[in-house]
Amino acid sequence: MKGNSTILVTGGAGYVGSHTVVELLKNNYTVIAIDNNVNSYATGCDKPESLKRVEAITGEQVIYYKADIKDKDAIDKIFKAHKIDSVIHFAALKAVGESVQKPLDYYQNNVGGSSALFEVMAKNGVKKLVFSSSATVYGDPQFLPITEQHPTGQGCTNPYGKSKYFVEEVLKDVCTSDHEWRVILLRYFNPVGAHESGTIGEDPAGIPNNLMPYISQVAVGRRDKLTIFGNDYPTPDGTGVRDYIHIMDLAVGHLKALERIDSPCFKSWKAYNLGTGRGYSVLEMVKAFEEASGKKVAYEISSRREGDIAECYADASLAKRDLNWTATRDIKAMCRDTWNWQKKNPKGFQSS
Amino acid sequence: MKGNSTILVTGGAGYVGSHTVVELLKNNYTVIAIDNNVNSYATGCDKPESLKRVEAITGEQVIYYKADIKDKDAIDKIFKAHKIDSVIHFAALKAVGESVQKPLDYYQNNVGGSSALFEVMAKNGVKKLVFSSSATVYGDPQFLPITEQHPTGQGCTNPYGKSKYFVEEVLKDVCTSDHEWRVILLRYFNPVGAHESGTIGEDPAGIPNNLMPYISQVAVGRRDKLTIFGNDYPTPDGTGVRDYIHIMDLAVGHLKALERIDSPCFKSWKAYNLGTGRGYSVLEMVKAFEEASGKKVAYEISSRREGDIAECYADASLAKRDLNWTATRDIKAMCRDTWNWQKKNPKGFQSS
């Protein structure tokens, strides 16, 4: 089914969504992107800026609807208007800190919205899905590297992570109830970087939650200095270690998952880690970014942040074996492409 | 706040709901009951038969709205129309077998509906809640008797149980986000029996999922024989052991929880087991029911049912200590009152 089929991409205007749409278009898929634009830069019902740029990068058109996955009638109309083959489901609220403040928003959007989407899918006979999950479902790692067999849902420390875990559980139950469903859960480690063109990238609203956008905003002069939360973790340099993965590698992973779902032997559901399998510390990332950008990144050390863990990195061998997928872009490419995007778009999509 | 305050009871027409409303009215609470009537016997928007009978039992009036907790606008209007002090939240789909067939219905009604209700509560400044949870959140017991410290959410074998667990987690996060919330999670063991008048009781739609209504329907001639799933469990007589609790004891537990929430020392959330602390086997229940009813209950032994566990009973000491609550009705009362209800209402509320 590679190419020539139509993929509905929820949250298509977002960071992972837009980069995945680039890869889909490059591979001759027809893409229908929906987004409620709560985190996208767009005017009215206009196509969001990120998707306009995706079209500029690829020379292909994205069919776009401003729609919320919680609105079953609106989503149903989209399914009725197109012959959709599969769904890649990104749409979700994603700010960890905000989720602690507003848990009901997260449960209603991420769990309620997803359940509504799945109901509309089933009603329209579309039962192939790639779900945007997260390594946060593993909670505090019991062993490293983390395999897909690691327990999930225990010790998830925030509603964002729990909402991802809940949706995974909902999907497992959906697959048990109806054997026509074929679902891949992709558990992302730490997506960073940007498309090599530097025209699309991560554009967080407000103060970035994640390390890489924070570093690049310091480098570009939008923020004074980086705060590093804890340098007394049991890691080589005391700062937290994470498995960073280039966004374009991640995007490719979704296409591999779509192909896998269409292989004759695939049934029910399966979870895959998408990571490099190697961890980098905060200080290593700062150093690599300074080298890639030629800019100094000022930082201060602060105390540990509640809920943070010392180390987290993937065992990515299952995705290699089953999906024939492996991350190919290294830390230099991650930093170079982040900086390229940041430098060209100091205020993100608003710069346009 | 005992008496004189107004309690919103969601799912007020249901089995646990209606019996709790009796106790609330007896104790001078004003009750606003809402129900979407998917499992109640009612004509149009008329007050459900169960609530009419509650009024007959108590001589008090129940304010009733036909409303679905998923409908935020409708619920908001009810909060605006009354000065509600606390909420007892029963409304949920509750058939374990059906939940395996239709997981999305369970997640949307039980988790999505509850989240919507909590949002409307917060918006209206009502932040005191008693939630109808279940011992199923404990999954397959790791130790017996089960205390409230037993892990939850691990090995929940069906979407019904998971949906209860998810709502518990949502509520914990709500309490973390806003310290004004005061929540009690009541984890029911196996509610049985009926009000001593025999005018209200359990009225399952279709084939009963639970043992006691099945036994009583056999005794009254609605069903040929009871099927016992497994007599090779590691229990004294080989049949499954459960902690049955009289519905009127359970109802009283909710009033004790309301009082507890209003005590000055109570804050955030707390979970309590509501059970007797003693298990009875299927065969013991059959025998006790035969004695109470004077009827023979035919049964056959079948193989184990997937997901069933051998034994489950509560450590109910925390509820005794904190809530000053303890079950007072024994197995004889449970069987006698079930039979009284069944005999007077062989077809449940439809008999009227």
Side-chain angles (χ1 to χ4, degrees):
Chain A
M1 295 293 280
K2 186 168 176 175
N4 299 322
S5 62
T6 298
I7 313 298
L8 179 78
V9 180
T10 73
Y15 175 43
V16 192
S18 59
H19 288 80
T20 301
V21 173
V22 168
E23 281 300 302
L24 288 167
L25 293 173
K26 268 175 54 186
N27 286 275
N28 298 319
Y29 288 97
T30 300
V31 174
I32 298 164
I34 65 174
D35 209 294
N36 67 2
N37 290 355
V38 296
N39 282 318
S40 344
Y41 185 70
T43 316
C45 284
D46 239 30
K47 199 169 273 183
E49 181 63 22
S50 61
L51 290 176
K52 288 182 186 170
R53 297 193 185 184
V54 165
E55 292 180 332
I57 291 169
T58 59
E60 303 282 343
Q61 213 211 324
V62 180
I63 302 164
Y64 166 76
Y65 294 93
K66 183 177 176 184
D68 191 301
I69 52 168
K70 297 192 295 299
D71 183 347
K72 287 194 252 191
D73 291 338
I75 305 301
D76 189 59
K77 278 182 193 151
I78 297 166
F79 274 91
K80 298 268 185 295
H82 300 273
K83 198 181 154 349
I84 293 167
D85 183 68
S86 308
V87 174
I88 306 182
H89 174 36
F90 296 109
L93 296 177
K94 62 172 184 175
V96 170
E98 183 189 59
S99 80
V100 177
Q101 302 304 316
K102 301 177 178 175
L104 292 173
D105 286 357
Y106 276 70
Y107 291 117
Q108 289 186 71
N109 276 281
N110 297 5
V111 185
S114 296
S115 301
L117 171 70
F118 306 152
E119 187 187 304
V120 176
M121 287 177 65
K123 195 177 144 193
N124 286 279
V126 178
K127 298 180 181 176
K128 295 192 288 182
L129 177 79
V130 177
F131 174 60
S132 167
S133 189
S134 166
T136 60
V137 301
Y138 296 122
D140 202 350
Q142 294 173 15
F143 54 82
L144 289 168
I146 300 178
T147 67
E148 290 83 355
Q149 273 66 52
H150 188 287
T152 57
Q154 297 170 32
C156 283
T157 48
N158 58 73
Y160 165 75
K162 276 195 217 169
S163 75
K164 290 289 175 188
Y165 164 66
F166 287 1
V167 176
E168 285 200 356
E169 295 298 304
V170 169
L171 283 169
K172 292 174 189 176
D173 290 334
V174 166
C175 289
T176 301
S177 74
D178 179 348
H179 298 296
E180 290 180 3
W181 278 84
R182 282 176 273 165
V183 174
I184 286 183
L185 315 172
L186 294 180
R187 295 176 181 155
Y188 310 155
F189 280 68
N190 292 65
V192 296
H195 187 262
E196 47 268 29
S197 66
T199 57
I200 59 171
E202 188 171 7
D203 185 21
I207 300 169
N209 280 286
N210 298 327
L211 177 65
M212 200 65 155
Y214 210 111
I215 288 179
S216 68
Q217 289 191 7
V218 172
V220 88
R222 273 178 74 181
R223 314 225 167 251
D224 275 355
K225 58 173 181 279
L226 171 71
T227 304
I228 298 177
F229 298 101
N231 66 350
D232 56 352
Y233 283 107
T235 58
D237 64 23
T239 63
V241 166
R242 297 290 180 276
D243 184 337
Y244 296 94
I245 174 162
H246 195 292
I247 189 74
M248 293 311 297
D249 279 330
L250 198 68
V252 171
H254 292 77
L255 273 76
K256 296 288 191 183
L258 281 181
E259 289 171 32
R260 178 71 184 166
I261 279 179
D262 276 321
S263 73
C265 58
F266 189 87
K267 55 186 179 194
S268 192
W269 65 272
K270 189 119 187 169
Y272 294 101
N273 288 339
L274 293 187
T276 63
R278 184 194 191 305
Y280 286 96
S281 76
V282 176
L283 290 175
E284 285 175 308
M285 292 304 281
V286 168
K287 188 157 169 285
F289 195 89
E290 288 180 335
E291 283 166 10
S293 65
K295 298 278 178 185
K296 192 78 195 156
V297 176
Y299 66 83
E300 62 174 5
I301 305 291
S302 173
S303 54
R304 294 183 185 190
R305 194 166 53 174
E306 206 190 311
D308 274 356
I309 56 185
E311 273 194 295
C312 179
Y313 50 93
D315 180 329
S317 58
L318 190 66
K320 186 171 184 183
R321 197 189 72 194
D322 282 6
L323 306 182
N324 191 28
W325 174 91
T326 194
T328 62
R329 293 161 180 89
D330 64 9
I331 187 176
K332 281 187 185 174
M334 296 179 205
C335 292
R336 179 197 66 215
D337 293 336
T338 300
W339 178 237
N340 187 32
W341 151 253
Q342 185 69 67
K343 176 174 70 174
K344 288 186 178 170
N345 303 274
K347 292 186 173 176
F349 290 112
Q350 283 188 65
S351 314
S352 66
Chain B
M1 295 291 281
K2 186 169 177 176
N4 297 324
S5 62
T6 299
I7 312 298
L8 179 77
V9 180
T10 74
Y15 176 43
V16 193
S18 58
H19 288 79
T20 301
V21 173
V22 168
E23 281 301 303
L24 288 168
L25 294 173
K26 268 175 53 184
N27 286 275
N28 299 320
Y29 288 96
T30 300
V31 174
I32 298 165
I34 65 173
D35 209 295
N36 66 2
N37 289 355
V38 297
N39 282 318
S40 341
Y41 186 71
T43 316
C45 285
D46 239 29
K47 199 169 275 184
E49 181 63 22
S50 60
L51 290 176
K52 289 182 186 170
R53 297 194 186 183
V54 165
E55 292 180 332
I57 290 169
T58 59
E60 302 284 341
Q61 212 210 325
V62 181
I63 303 165
Y64 166 76
Y65 293 94
K66 183 178 176 185
D68 192 301
I69 52 167
K70 297 192 294 300
D71 184 347
K72 288 192 252 192
D73 292 339
I75 304 301
D76 190 59
K77 277 182 195 152
I78 297 167
F79 275 91
K80 298 267 184 295
H82 300 274
K83 198 181 155 350
I84 293 168
D85 183 67
S86 309
V87 174
I88 307 181
H89 174 36
F90 295 109
L93 296 176
K94 62 171 184 176
V96 170
E98 184 189 57
S99 80
V100 176
Q101 303 302 316
K102 302 177 178 177
L104 293 173
D105 286 357
Y106 276 70
Y107 291 116
Q108 289 187 70
N109 276 281
N110 296 6
V111 185
S114 295
S115 301
L117 172 70
F118 306 152
E119 187 187 305
V120 176
M121 287 176 64
K123 195 177 145 193
N124 286 280
V126 178
K127 298 180 181 176
K128 295 191 288 181
L129 177 79
V130 177
F131 175 59
S132 166
S133 189
S134 165
T136 61
V137 302
Y138 296 122
D140 202 349
Q142 294 172 15
F143 54 82
L144 289 169
I146 299 177
T147 67
E148 290 83 355
Q149 273 66 52
H150 189 287
T152 56
Q154 296 169 35
C156 283
T157 49
N158 59 72
Y160 165 74
K162 276 194 217 169
S163 75
K164 290 289 176 189
Y165 164 66
F166 286 1
V167 176
E168 285 200 356
E169 295 298 304
V170 169
L171 283 169
K172 292 174 190 175
D173 290 334
V174 166
C175 289
T176 302
S177 74
D178 178 348
H179 298 296
E180 290 179 2
W181 277 85
R182 282 175 273 166
V183 174
I184 285 183
L185 315 172
L186 294 180
R187 295 177 179 154
Y188 310 154
F189 281 67
N190 293 64
V192 296
H195 187 262
E196 47 269 30
S197 66
T199 57
I200 59 172
E202 188 171 9
D203 184 21
I207 300 169
N209 281 288
N210 298 329
L211 177 66
M212 200 66 157
Y214 209 111
I215 289 179
S216 68
Q217 290 190 8
V218 171
V220 88
R222 272 176 75 180
R223 314 224 168 250
D224 274 357
K225 57 173 181 282
L226 171 71
T227 304
I228 297 176
F229 298 102
N231 66 348
D232 55 352
Y233 282 107
T235 59
D237 64 25
T239 63
V241 166
R242 297 290 180 277
D243 183 337
Y244 296 94
I245 173 161
H246 195 291
I247 189 73
M248 294 312 297
D249 280 330
L250 199 68
V252 171
H254 292 77
L255 274 75
K256 296 288 190 181
L258 280 181
E259 289 171 31
R260 177 73 183 163
I261 279 179
D262 276 320
S263 74
C265 60
F266 189 86
K267 55 186 178 194
S268 194
W269 65 272
K270 189 119 189 170
Y272 293 101
N273 288 339
L274 294 187
T276 62
R278 183 194 193 305
Y280 286 95
S281 76
V282 177
L283 290 175
E284 286 175 307
M285 291 304 281
V286 168
K287 187 156 171 284
F289 195 88
E290 287 180 336
E291 283 167 11
S293 65
K295 298 279 178 182
K296 192 79 194 153
V297 176
Y299 67 82
E300 62 174 4
I301 305 291
S302 174
S303 53
R304 294 183 184 189
R305 194 165 54 172
E306 207 189 311
D308 274 356
I309 56 186
E311 274 193 295
C312 179
Y313 51 93
D315 179 328
S317 58
L318 190 66
K320 185 171 184 183
R321 199 190 70 193
D322 282 7
L323 306 183
N324 192 28
W325 174 91
T326 195
T328 61
R329 293 159 179 91
D330 64 10
I331 186 176
K332 279 188 185 172
M334 296 180 204
C335 292
R336 179 197 65 215
D337 292 336
T338 300
W339 178 238
N340 188 31
W341 151 252
Q342 184 69 66
K343 176 174 68 173
K344 288 187 179 170
N345 303 273
K347 294 186 171 176
F349 289 112
Q350 281 188 66
S351 314
S352 66

